[in-house]
């Protein structure tokens, strides 16, 4: 069962969302679960196994997991007591509205140090857990300026990750002026990924060449630009498949920026490990 806690939305889609999942004891096969948003998860109750880019991670109540955009993560097993987990997703545009550290380093949403462990055990996660609980409280009460407070709390989490958990990639100490252009390119994609956009359109928008854009995007975000476009389209498709039961797959594919079902099915399976029909018939309990 999924309980929505709250979200902060932009012009076209959600920048930030938080929810709680309650899951019965289970085991399931690994699928290639990834998405463009940064994710922070708090294990509130239960135990199990998370498969991550760094391998299998056993977890228990109080542990916190942190996943960069496009990073593999999937819970394959929960213990006899089931599982209660709180998740937060947010994208770099949500962070770029802040005025502190994250505004300088938005690409840390897609990069992390090799020294960073995506699992932070309960004994080391006290401060982060405190910030997560405060975010939940802000989203629930929705008092004046709560959106600003949520951003500040997310920045506090990043500062904790950097200071105490070796999160910051070494290369961020020597960032160059390509960052603002990559941020602008991501914004263009976020607004136009449902359309038949081209690399030239994006590069013209940010005032550079297609070759330079491809090179800089991969360097800064550790992924190809079209991988990012595909992830955005598949996330949109997953929402439509789950919420628009009467909508056929072809229409969903076209609405999300794909020009035929063959390309859509191939991309969907690559990202989720399932076909669109399989996903519709067996919607995940844990996102």
């Amino acid at each position: 069962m999924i309980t929505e806690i709250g979200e902060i939305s932009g012009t076209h889609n959600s920048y930030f969302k938080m929810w709680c999942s309650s899951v019965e004891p289970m085991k399931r096969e690994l699928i290639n679960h990834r998405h463009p948003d940064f994710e922070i998860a708090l294990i509130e109750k239960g135990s199990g196994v998370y498969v991550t880019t760094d391998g299998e991670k056993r977890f228990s109540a109080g542990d916190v997991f942190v996943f960069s955009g496009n990073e593999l993560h999937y819970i394959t097993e929960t213990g006899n007591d089931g599982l209660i987990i709180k998740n937060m997703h947010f994208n770099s545009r949500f962070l770029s509205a802040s005025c502190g550290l994250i505004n300088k380093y938005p690409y840390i949403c897609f990069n992390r140090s090799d020294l960073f462990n995506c699992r932070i055990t309960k004994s080391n996660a006290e401060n982060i857990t405190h910030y997560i609980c405060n975010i939940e409280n802000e989203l629930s009460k929705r008092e004046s300026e709560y959106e600003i407070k949520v951003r500040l709390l997310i920045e506090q989490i990043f500062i904790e990750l950097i200071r105490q958990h070796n999160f910051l990639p070494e290369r961020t100490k020597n960032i160059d002026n390509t960052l603002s252009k990559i941020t602008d390119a991501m914004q263009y994609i976020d607004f136009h990924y449902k359309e038949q956009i081209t690399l030239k359109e994006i590069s013209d928008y940010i005032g550079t060449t297609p070759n330079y854009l491809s090179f800089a995007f991969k360097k800064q975000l550790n992924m190809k630009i079209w991988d990012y476009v595909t992830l955005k389209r598949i996330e949109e498709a997953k929402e439509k498949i789950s919420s628009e039961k009467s909508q056929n797959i072809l229409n969903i594919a076209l609405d999300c920026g794909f020009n035929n079902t063959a390309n859509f099915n191939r991309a969907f399976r690559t990202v989720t490990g399932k076909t669109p029909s399989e996903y519709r018939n067996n919607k995940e309990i844990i996102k």
Side-chain angles (χ1 to χ4, degrees), residues 267-283:
F268 198 95
R269 179 181 283 279
T270 298
V271 174
T272 70
K274 298 179 180 180
T275 66
S277 296
E278 289 171 342
Y279 185 84
R280 170 170 276 170
N281 294 332
N282 186 27
K283 186 173 180 286

Side-chain angles (χ1 to χ4, degrees), residues 32-98:
N32 184 24
H33 177 76
R34 60 185 75 226
H35 46 70
D37 289 339
F38 196 91
E39 179 171 348
I40 302 173
L42 169 63
I43 309 300
E44 193 164 89
K45 175 187 174 183
S47 60
V49 177
Y50 238 130
V51 176
T52 73
T53 301
D54 297 329
E56 286 191 358
K57 305 284 186 181
R58 290 203 164 270
F59 61 79
S60 56
D63 291 352
V64 170
F65 282 83
V66 177
F67 300 111
S68 300
N70 199 35
E71 184 172 357
L72 171 68
H73 58 286
Y74 194 68
I75 293 177
T76 56
E77 179 181 341
T78 60
N80 294 332
D81 295 330
L83 175 70
I84 297 178
I85 180 172
K86 288 180 179 174
N87 294 80
M88 295 186 296
H89 277 193
F90 50 89
N91 60 38
S92 58
R93 278 198 296 124
F94 173 73
L95 297 177
S96 68
S98 301

Side-chain angles (χ1 to χ4, degrees), residues 193-194 233-249 251-257 264 268 279-280:
Y193 65 88
K194 298 179 187 179
R233 288 172 172 173
I234 295 301
E235 282 300 295
E236 178 75 13
K238 286 165 63 179
E239 291 295 326
K240 287 181 176 293
I241 288 170
S242 299
S243 61
E244 301 177 14
K245 299 294 186 180
S246 61
Q247 184 81 288
N248 67 56
I249 298 300
N251 286 341
I252 289 176
L254 296 175
D255 288 346
C256 295
F264 175 57
F268 198 95
Y279 185 84
R280 170 170 276 170

Side-chain angles (χ1 to χ4, degrees), residues 8 16 35 43 52 58 73 87 90 111 116 120 122 136 139 194 202 206 211 214 226 232 245 255 261 266 272 278:
I8 299 173
F16 179 99
H35 46 70
I43 309 300
T52 73
R58 290 203 164 270
H73 58 286
N87 294 80
F90 50 89
N111 290 281
F116 176 72
I120 303 172
K122 178 181 179 179
E136 180 180 8
L139 291 172
K194 298 179 187 179
I202 304 172
I206 66 172
N211 286 342
S214 294
W226 289 116
K232 295 293 296 186
K245 299 294 186 180
D255 288 346
T261 52
R266 188 182 307 109
T272 70
E278 289 171 342

